[in-house]
Structure formats: C-alpha cells, structure tokens
Amino acid sequence: MKPRTLYDKLWDSHVVREEPDGTALLYIDRHLVHEVTSPQAFEGLRLAHRPLWRTDANLATADHNVPTTDRSQGIADPVSRLQVETLDSNCAEFRITEFGMSDPRQGIVHVIGPEQGATLPGMTVVCGDSHTSTHGAFGALAHGIGTSEVEHVLATQCLIQKKSRSMLIVVDGPVGPGVTAKDIVLAIIGRIGTAGGTGYALEFSGQAIRDLSIEGRMTVCNMAIEAGARSGFIAVDDKTIEYVKGRPFAPRPEYWDQAVAYWQTLHSDDGAEFDEVVRIPAAEIQPQVTWGTSPEMVVPVGERVPDPDRETDPVRAQGMRRALQYMGLEAGTPIAQISLDKVFIGSCTNSRIEDLRAAAQVARGRKVAGNIRQALVVPGSGLVKAQAEQEGLDKIFIEAGFEWREPGCSMCLAMNADRLEPGERCASTSNRNFEGRQGQGGRTHLVSPAMAAAAAIAGHFVDVRDIV
Amino acid sequence: MQKFETFSGIVCPLDRSNVDTDAIIPKQFLKSIKRTGFGPNLFDDWRYLDRGEPGMDNSRRPINPDFVLNDPRYAGASILLTRENFGCGSSREHAPWALADYGFRVIIAPSYADIFFNNSFKNGLLPIVLDAATVDRLFERATGGQALRLTVDLAAQQIQPAGDAPIGFDVDAFRKHCLLNGLDDIGLTLQHVDDIKAYEARRRVEAPWLFQ
C-alpha cells in the first residue's frame, strides 16, 4: 500500500461519499458549539423543520461573551445576555450537553474539549470558531467553520469538503531554554507568512514538536489558522494517549485497547509524500514578539522594529507602514524599549495550567510595574482555575498585582467588558494582533505567557531568559 | 439562497491586503442572534469616526470621509475590489453576511482566506480570484476620476469592464452550480441519508468508542 500522510489517514477514514470531481461528504465525529456562531444555525433548523442528526456528537459552552468578574448577577450587557440565554435554550430544546455559565466545567470551547476527553485522536472535530485547529494536537482533523456549516453539521453530521494540499513543517532539533510552544508557532508564522498555509493542511513534526507537552502542542496547532491553514495537527504518541486516559468522555474501559491500537497508527508513514515541506532549525528560535497588526509581523525580542523602506515588495511595505502607524511605533525601535499599558494572560492559545504555571514562575515574588494599568490572568476553564488555585498560583498572581479572573475568551477579542481603550498597548498571550481586535484603537503584541508575565513586571518587553 | 444572475455594478476599490474578518465586522456586532442587519456596521472601525455599538442610529454617526466606502463615487457599489488574503482570521460568517447586507454581490482579489472563501458561497456572495497584475489594472481603472462599472456573468465565468475586453475567471464547478441554481447545501446532503447511515453503521463496529 502506498505510504500515507496522517492527513490522508484522517481524511480517508471520514469520507462518506465522494463525487468524481473530489467533492466529498466528510463525517464529523465531534461538534463543539458556543453562543456566538450557533444561534442562526439553530434558527435555520427550526425554520426548515429539520431535526438534529446526532445529539451525542455535540458539546456546548458559553465562552465569548461571559463576564470574567463576579457572575452572581449574570451578564450586565443585555445583548450579550440574550446570546448566552439563546444558547441555553437551544441546547435544552435539542438536548445538547452544555456547560453553562454557572457550571464548574465551563470555559473556552478549545480548552474544555480536550480537558473532557471530548477531543480524541483520529476524530474529525469542528466548531464555529477558527481556532478549532487547536484539537489537531491530538492527531485529529479539526477546523473552524461558518454558521451555515454549523447548521449543516447539526442537520447531517457531515460537511461538504474538498481535500486540501498537505504541508509538513519540521522543527528540527531541540529549542533552547526559555523558548516555548508560542515562540515556535510565532516563528513558523513569521517564516511562512499569514497566508503561507492557505489551502493546506499542516502537519507539525520534528524533535521540538515531539518534545512539547500536549498543552504546548495545542498552542502550536491553535495558531495554524494564523498561518492561513484551517487545520494543523501532530502525530499521536505516548504523551497523547496518556493525556486522554481517564477523562470523562474518553473511551470506556471495554473499548480502550481497541482505541489505543487504532490511535497508534495515526502518524505519517515513512516515505509519505507532502505537497510542501518546510524545515526550521529549532536552535534558531528565540522568544518572539509581534510588532504589527498581523501575526506574521514578528521578530525575536532582542531585535528592532523593522523598517518598511527596506522591504522590496511595495504592497508589503505599504502594509508595514500602515501597521507602524496604527501601532504608534517607529522603525528601528528596539523591541525591549516598547513600554506597555496592559497585560493579558489567557485565550484558547495560552490559558491552560502549564501556561499559568509558566507565568506564575516569572511573577513569583515580583511586582507588576507601576506603568501597567491592568494585568489580567484569565484561566481557560473552571477546572483550570480550580487546579491553579489548588497549586496557589492565584495567590502568586494577586500578590504580584495581577487580577485573577473567571474563565472565558475575555480580552482576546473583547466581546465582554475586558478590552483595551484607544491607543492602549498590551502584551497578550492571545493569537491575533489585528487592528481593533482587543478593543477599538488598541495595540496588541503577541507573546508567550512567560514573556507576558516578564513584560508586566518590567513594564516593557524583556527577554524572559534574562530574569528567570 | 437566491439564484446568482448576471448583473452590472460599480466597483469599490479597497486597497489593503490581509483584510481580516474583525475589520469586516467588529466583534461587538457579533452579539446579534440574527443573520441580517449587519450592513450598516460593515468595516465599522474604518467607516465611522466614533466607536460603534449595537443599537446605535448609524445614520447619525460621524463618518470617516477618507474611507473608500464613504466616497460618493462608489455609492451603491456591488463589487468589492481588494488585495491578497482577504477575509483572514476569525471564521465568523457575519463577515459575508455584512458584505451581502451592504449590497456587495462579488469580491475580486488575488487570494482569500479559506474559511471566508467557503462561507461566501453559502451566502450567494461570489469571491473571484484574479492574478495580481489583473487586479492592479482594475485598481487603476477603479480609482480614476470615474467609477468603474463591471458586468459579472457567472455562467460564462467572465467579468466585462465597461468598454474593455472581458476577463475570464475560474470557479469550482460544484459551487458554481449551487450559486446559479440557488441550491441549499443541507438539502443536497440530505439526498444521501442512506450513505451517511451506512457509514455510521460501519464506524460503530470499527470505532465504537466514538458512539458510546
């Protein structure tokens, strides 16, 4: 048999039928649902009198709109409140399991899926959210969809798809000390560009990827979409299987051995061919900081803001000038001299327990700088929050001057009350530095959790390796 | 979905690359539970000078005269001309909803983000890919003293700039068929209920833990 890529295996095992032109009906094993992109889909089902195809494939939670402060009074904003209540009523009507706002298991949809074992190796996983690529860390085929496709999955358990091209990204060798999953993926995006993965399914491999924990792998796959790829994934290994074991939605004991035997086949075969291969030496990767308004506008912390006059492509140079103007930065400024107003540690990229531990390690016994108006730590789920509190991380953050919040998407996209004001500059562990993403006129710099904590302490960017 | 028929329209040139869906429709408008009404908030941060919130009377807000959508030359435009990687970022279908609600029916760019590209077809919005040099030429014409008018013929897969030679474009045959006939994807898929059930029956044996 011809050697197959992991993508081939995931794709082949989910094709329900295929037309001669390659248009396929692809079966979806897991559908994650949240409040923002689902109301119109449920409404569509009702209008067409269509039933839900398969109740148990769906899992829902409210995350984008929820307040991260005291929830005993509910949501103050009536528009946000209606959206969350609409999710509650839709899940009740269609009998979908939902972790509502008061459930201790509530959290960011891409944190709770893996946490519950609802994301498993070999699955197809979709959600009306582009960061669904996160779940690829388990050797799953996972990608974001629009609301029409949310409705399509609810009604048919399938999607109409065409196979993407395949790209293998090999991060060779080990990374240096203090270099994290976030730095790896930002360096990859800096290398291939924000559209470099468009039309491709990305497989991440190489020693630096294998060395990562499952949570680190989730950070890498999470940002596949920032490289333009809808999905990014990593082969299954012992770490993957160990992580899944014992979680609430994991295979029952009678199926466990059968599942593991299958999962162990979920890697690209020797000799499998990819449409594109990119190799990046891990040793060259430094802690990264974005300077512009696209995740590809990224440099190592020791460097300077780049100069558009040295860019030969006129469209790119124009984009750089616009970004510098929006960001209020001058070409040539050392990254370490960029002073900050706010710090955000959280989001589906970096809000898991290991992220909080890494930030707490930097914050321990130190104080947030006087020029930082607000430093937020927002755990990814109620269970992450409880775990962190059990380990005393909340006290470390609070003593250092950080605010310790309730779980949700929060200032990653500022749909709730957590946001930047015009002109405010933020070191953020989230995934997008687009104009206005964290609040109209806000200026976002993407970094790892340890780099964000270090920036909070220093009041400006600093190489975390110099202070730990 | 409405059938996509041949039409002529004015081209609005948005000379930016990497326009993301946060810019197309900012997050505060995603709190709506409806599919309609997003047009007045299309490109809200660029289009108005104040901070937009749901429920505002948009007709009374201060507009940004420098933004191309507010240029009187492009009033009533139904074709958006833009640069590479249009629609990157968030998967929000509110982006094509906002573009369509404003009145756009066609987008022309050298490339698009995958999810946005896919979402557009499901809302009767045709994203046309043309090479960068052709897009450059269209920008030259569209930004001249007079607005550029184009005829878009999906059946023939060509656009015809007024007083100029037609330009052909590629489109996936299945998507073209769906747009021309106004077909609903779910209706098409439900013609294959037996195939889906057969697949599930097979998987219940192969991978029973997925159905526990």
Side-chain angles (χ1 to χ4, degrees):
Chain A
M1 195 173 175
K2 189 170 173 258
R4 292 191 297 164
T5 63
L6 173 55
Y7 180 50
D8 293 331
K9 294 178 185 181
L10 293 170
W11 175 269
D12 292 349
S13 62
H14 289 88
V15 173
V16 171
R17 57 175 284 128
E18 193 167 352
E19 306 298 332
D21 73 343
T23 303
L25 203 54
L26 203 71
Y27 191 81
I28 302 303
D29 296 314
R30 178 68 66 203
H31 181 210
L32 301 165
V33 180
H34 67 85
E35 77 275 21
V36 179
T37 56
S38 66
Q40 298 86 351
F42 285 112
E43 185 63 13
L45 284 191
R46 272 190 292 268
L47 289 173
H49 304 289
R50 284 175 175 143
L52 188 64
W53 182 277
R54 198 184 138 194
T55 309
D56 67 335
N58 298 280
L59 177 64
T61 196
D63 55 6
H64 284 63
N65 274 284
V66 298
T68 57
T69 48
D70 178 24
R71 289 180 181 170
S72 59
Q73 303 302 312
I75 303 176
D77 175 355
V79 193
S80 286
R81 189 170 64 231
L82 175 64
Q83 198 167 55
V84 172
E85 287 171 356
T86 302
L87 179 69
D88 295 343
S89 62
N90 282 329
C91 289
E93 180 185 340
F94 290 93
R95 299 173 185 279
I96 290 172
T97 302
E98 186 203 4
F99 300 156
M101 211 169 73
S102 57
D103 191 299
R105 298 165 296 178
Q106 175 269 338
I108 304 173
V109 69
H110 308 307
V111 174
I112 69 160
E115 189 171 76
Q116 293 295 322
T119 303
L120 294 173
M123 273 184 163
T124 41
V125 181
V126 297
C127 173
D129 189 284
S130 61
H131 292 110
T132 309
S133 56
T134 309
H135 308 266
F138 292 84
L141 183 59
H143 65 83
I145 54 178
T147 298
S148 294
E149 289 187 318
V150 169
E151 184 180 340
H152 196 280
V153 174
L154 290 171
T156 70
Q157 209 54 46
C158 293
L159 283 177
I160 299 172
Q161 299 273 291
K162 264 194 174 171
K163 200 173 175 185
S164 304
R165 286 167 288 172
S166 61
M167 185 187 295
L168 180 68
I169 296 180
V170 189
V171 188
D172 277 318
V175 291
V179 175
T180 68
K182 184 65 161 286
D183 303 308
I184 294 174
V185 72
L186 283 172
I188 291 170
I189 296 163
R191 164 82 176 272
I192 71 173
T194 191
T198 302
Y200 288 92
L202 307 186
E203 180 175 345
F204 300 101
S205 71
Q207 185 187 342
I209 300 294
R210 283 197 304 276
D211 286 349
L212 290 173
S213 69
I214 295 301
E215 294 193 0
R217 294 177 190 181
M218 283 193 248
T219 300
V220 171
C221 291
N222 172 276
M223 291 190 72
I225 184 66
E226 310 315 332
R230 288 195 306 168
S231 64
F233 35 79
I234 295 170
V236 172
D237 63 10
D238 292 346
K239 287 184 201 174
T240 325
I241 294 165
E242 194 53 39
Y243 185 96
V244 168
K245 198 171 188 177
R247 294 187 183 266
F249 287 72
R252 286 205 296 260
E254 66 265 36
Y255 301 135
W256 180 257
D257 290 345
Q258 189 186 357
V260 169
Y262 172 59
W263 295 345
Q264 282 168 338
T265 68
L266 295 174
H267 53 79
S268 290
D269 297 330
D270 288 340
E273 285 178 20
F274 293 83
D275 295 305
E276 194 84 43
V277 177
V278 175
R279 302 194 93 91
I280 297 176
E284 289 176 7
I285 301 175
Q286 309 290 318
Q288 305 280 308
V289 181
T290 65
W291 56 268
T293 53
S294 165
E296 70 181 14
M297 295 173 167
V298 64
V299 289
V301 61
E303 292 191 5
R304 292 164 185 269
V305 174
D307 186 350
D309 289 345
R310 299 176 66 175
E311 170 60 53
T312 49
D313 176 349
V315 174
R316 284 181 70 91
Q318 185 204 15
M320 290 171 74
R321 284 191 192 95
R322 197 191 301 278
L324 289 181
Q325 188 185 16
Y326 180 85
M327 294 297 287
L329 289 174
E330 294 208 9
T333 306
I335 295 294
Q337 282 179 17
I338 298 173
S339 174
L340 297 155
D341 304 306
K342 286 186 174 170
V343 172
F344 172 62
I345 297 173
S347 87
C348 58
T349 314
N350 281 129
S351 64
R352 298 176 182 84
I353 190 67
E354 291 173 13
D355 298 317
L356 303 188
R357 286 179 191 144
Q361 194 195 342
V362 175
R364 187 191 304 272
R366 297 190 170 99
K367 293 285 179 202
V368 171
N371 59 305
I372 302 294
R373 291 173 205 154
Q374 186 177 46
L376 287 184
V377 184
V378 184
S381 73
L383 296 182
V384 169
K385 180 167 185 264
Q387 172 77 26
E389 289 174 354
Q390 203 183 347
E391 297 179 17
L393 305 185
D394 56 326
K395 291 194 181 62
I396 293 172
F397 286 123
I398 291 165
E399 278 166 20
F402 289 85
E403 295 176 35
W404 179 246
R405 295 293 189 91
E406 299 294 325
C409 299
S410 181
M411 207 196 277
C412 172
L413 87 166
M415 264 190 90
N416 69 353
D418 309 332
R419 67 180 64 161
L420 300 181
E421 295 302 320
E424 280 187 333
R425 188 181 298 285
C426 181
S428 178
T429 67
S430 54
N431 39 57
R432 291 194 173 127
N433 51 354
F434 299 157
E435 285 186 25
R437 171 77 178 182
Q438 294 193 287
Q440 193 188 27
R443 294 160 171 169
T444 302
H445 297 269
L446 304 176
V447 288
S448 73
M451 284 285 288
I457 303 302
H460 55 84
F461 288 112
V462 59
D463 190 333
V464 66
R465 297 172 298 184
D466 294 341
I467 64 166
V468 177
Chain B
M1 199 166 74
Q2 268 198 326
K3 287 182 185 179
F4 190 100
E5 283 164 355
T6 300
F7 75 101
S8 285
I10 290 172
V11 176
C12 178
L14 177 64
D15 194 1
R16 294 191 187 212
S17 52
N18 296 317
V19 172
D20 59 77
T21 54
D22 274 82
I24 296 172
I25 182 81
K27 83 280 312 239
Q28 62 269 35
F29 305 106
L30 273 51
K31 297 175 185 180
S32 167
I33 58 171
K34 298 189 293 185
R35 273 178 195 263
T36 52
F38 296 101
N41 301 109
L42 175 68
F43 299 119
D44 198 274
D45 282 1
W46 294 341
R47 192 165 154 195
Y48 302 97
L49 295 169
D50 61 346
R51 176 147 94 189
E53 290 294 339
M56 285 172 110
D57 178 355
N58 294 295
S59 65
R60 310 180 80 131
R61 295 175 58 197
I63 64 161
N64 174 8
D66 298 331
F67 186 56
V68 68
L69 232 57
N70 294 323
D71 186 323
R73 271 181 298 176
Y74 307 122
S78 53
I79 300 165
L80 184 68
L81 177 67
T82 185
R83 299 288 186 181
E84 65 256 33
N85 200 28
F86 186 79
C88 60
S90 158
S91 61
R92 59 189 69 168
E93 198 161 318
H94 311 67
W97 293 341
L99 287 160
D101 196 55
Y102 177 87
F104 286 115
R105 298 173 62 190
V106 167
I107 308 169
I108 299 173
S111 62
Y112 301 86
D114 286 341
I115 301 177
F116 173 83
F117 188 73
N118 198 33
N119 285 342
S120 295
F121 282 100
K122 299 186 189 301
N123 292 282
L125 185 65
L126 173 64
I128 296 176
V129 179
L130 294 178
D131 64 83
T134 307
V135 168
D136 272 342
R137 281 204 305 280
L138 289 173
F139 263 103
E140 275 171 34
R141 285 207 52 190
T143 51
Q146 219 178 355
L148 170 65
R149 184 171 275 277
L150 286 181
T151 302
V152 180
D153 183 345
L154 173 58
Q157 292 182 214
Q158 62 180 33
I159 57 171
Q160 171 95 51
D164 217 336
I167 302 166
F169 62 87
D170 286 333
V171 61
D172 178 86
F174 174 72
R175 285 170 157 155
K176 174 181 172 180
H177 174 74
C178 290
L179 273 185
L180 287 174
N181 296 290
L183 294 178
D184 163 15
D185 276 2
I186 298 178
L188 288 175
T189 297
L190 287 173
Q191 293 172 6
H192 305 300
V193 163
D194 292 346
D195 291 331
I196 303 172
K197 288 188 170 162
Y199 174 87
E200 284 184 330
R202 181 157 57 81
R203 289 291 276 178
R204 280 177 193 277
V205 178
E206 285 174 1
W209 62 90
L210 296 174
F211 297 84
Q212 68 185 28

